[in-house]
Amino acid sequence: MDYQKYLNPNLINIKPSGIRKFFSIAEEMDNVISLGVGEPDFLTPWHIRRQGIASLEIGSTRYTANAGLISLRKEISSFYLRKYFLKYNPDNEILVTVGGSEGIDMCIRSLVCPGDEVLVVEPSFVCYKPIVDICGATAVPLVTKNENNFKLTAQDLQAAITDKTKLLILPYPNNPTGAVMRKSDLESIAKVIIENDLLVLSDEIYSELTYGTEGHVSVASIDGMRERTVVINGFSKTYSMTGWRLGYALGPAEIISQMTKLHQYAIMSAPTTAQIAAIDALKNGDNDIAKMLSDYDMRRRFTVNAFREIGLDCFNPEGAFYIFPCIKSTGLSSEEFCEQLIMNKRVAVVPGNAFGECGEGFIRVSYCYSIDNIKEAVQRIGEFVKELGENNGN
């Protein structure tokens, strides 16, 4: 039977995730240290798990409202007001989703039509462009550079805008680079966004994992931006709740209502147990965030310094839990480096070109693993790079 004539050609033409390729290889090999997946090594804090368990014990196992429990939406509203001075009405400006990924999908599909152009900051998470492609629109890469600390500049944004541009996808703190847009950076691009009447999808899933004295700033908090921004966030990274599959979207009621309609038909509602547990996370999880952030910061500094000692140029990330070292000096492509590394040294990392063509010559290394695993992995990578140099006569 010829299934090709039945399947969506937009979907057929999309490549599988470059992240999962090396994760799958690592699963089939022995003695592999994987620094490839953004999976925190912390357990979900006990007080959060306890609330989930308690909800099951009392039989809270039914559907919730399509938009999510109103008690959870109120806590999300309070969290964003407390943390970012942004006020969202829990009745009609907040949607609880199955992870941040569903929120991204719902937002793009609610806004983007065939023929539209969507600006996607790259390097960036792998899901944005495929969803745009499935919608029949055109994803236009906005390349950020190492020399600019992987920040989007107003000049580059303005140069990419055409009369077909509708949406900008702004993923900061950034996966895979760890780059952060500070308030002054956001103010600069906001002028361009407003002048060109664009909408913004701001993926802030790593908002709480921002290092230094200046915390995360949401682009929605910049003057004139709240009305044209949909913020995506969630619980996976902040509270180490990846398997609970819970996220949320915040934005203008007119957009959230359409996202909720799509969510209603595609999903119905997010998992009830996860929603109940998430209420406790928002109420009582600030100390957990602080502890994890402190630990990640230690691992961040260690990993960056270790790669620099190996001789690989490494941008100093200010957010998330990834580093994005440059491997051009080895003479290998990103995929060649990763393939030879896992085969020869049993260490899994992700090629930079999985996050856009501009990621070629880089690799993504996650430091959300135990420090012992990181130390062993870095030692093996150092040996690998040294052997490459010896084989090349350096």
Side-chain angles (χ1 to χ4, degrees), residues 76 105 210 224 248 271 286 354:
I76 294 169
D105 183 32
T210 301
Y248 54 89
D286 284 4

Side-chain angles (χ1 to χ4, degrees), residues 142 144 148 151-158 181 188-189 192:
L142 266 177
T144 59
N148 291 332
K151 295 182 180 184
L152 174 63
T153 68
Q155 294 80 3
D156 287 342
L157 174 58
Q158 182 62 64
M181 294 279 282
S188 178
I189 66 167
V192 178

Side-chain angles (χ1 to χ4, degrees), residues 249-266:
L250 310 101
E254 293 80 0
I255 298 176
I256 294 297
S257 67
Q258 298 308 309
M259 291 174 61
T260 304
K261 187 193 304 180
L262 186 57
H263 169 84
Q264 180 184 63
Y265 287 117

Side-chain angles (χ1 to χ4, degrees), residues 20-172:
R20 287 289 161 179
K21 173 183 175 181
F22 287 89
F23 179 74
S24 298
I25 293 173
E27 282 192 319
E28 297 175 0
M29 300 174 68
D30 295 327
N31 192 31
V32 172
I33 298 175
S34 176
L35 302 183
V37 181
E39 177 84 35
D41 69 320
F42 298 103
L43 290 175
T44 304
W46 169 242
H47 64 93
I48 300 172
R49 285 182 280 149
R50 184 174 59 217
Q51 289 301 315
I53 293 167
S55 74
L56 293 173
E57 289 178 335
I58 64 174
S60 297
T61 57
R62 297 183 179 277
Y63 294 128
T64 70
N66 294 134
L69 290 167
I70 186 61
S71 51
L72 174 56
R73 284 180 278 146
K74 286 179 178 178
E75 286 300 329
I76 294 169
S77 177
S78 297
F79 181 82
Y80 256 74
L81 182 61
R82 171 168 60 89
K83 298 285 287 190
Y84 306 119
F85 310 106
L86 281 164
K87 189 174 183 179
Y88 289 96
N89 187 335
D91 292 328
N92 57 10
E93 293 185 320
I94 299 175
L95 169 65
V96 179
T97 60
V98 181
S101 296
E102 192 223 335
I104 293 166
D105 183 32
M106 297 294 105
C107 179
I108 294 173
R109 287 204 282 155
S110 295
L111 295 174
V112 175
C113 304
D116 288 340
E117 290 182 355
V118 178
L119 302 180
V120 181
V121 172
E122 290 186 352
S124 64
F125 184 50
V126 296
C127 80
Y128 310 125
K129 184 180 183 300
I131 298 172
V132 172
D133 290 343
I134 291 169
C135 291
T138 300
V140 178
L142 266 177
V143 175
T144 59
K145 302 179 180 68
N146 195 357
E147 54 265 34
N148 291 332
N149 295 328
F150 293 107
K151 295 182 180 184
L152 174 63
T153 68
Q155 294 80 3
D156 287 342
L157 174 58
Q158 182 62 64
I161 295 171
T162 73
D163 58 0
K164 295 181 179 179
T165 307
K166 177 185 282 186
L167 178 68
L168 166 66
I169 297 179
L170 195 66
Y172 289 96

Side-chain angles (χ1 to χ4, degrees), residues 1-9 12:
M1 187 170 182
D2 183 11
Y3 291 103
Q4 297 295 310
K5 66 182 181 181
Y6 297 99
L7 295 169
N8 183 338
I12 292 173

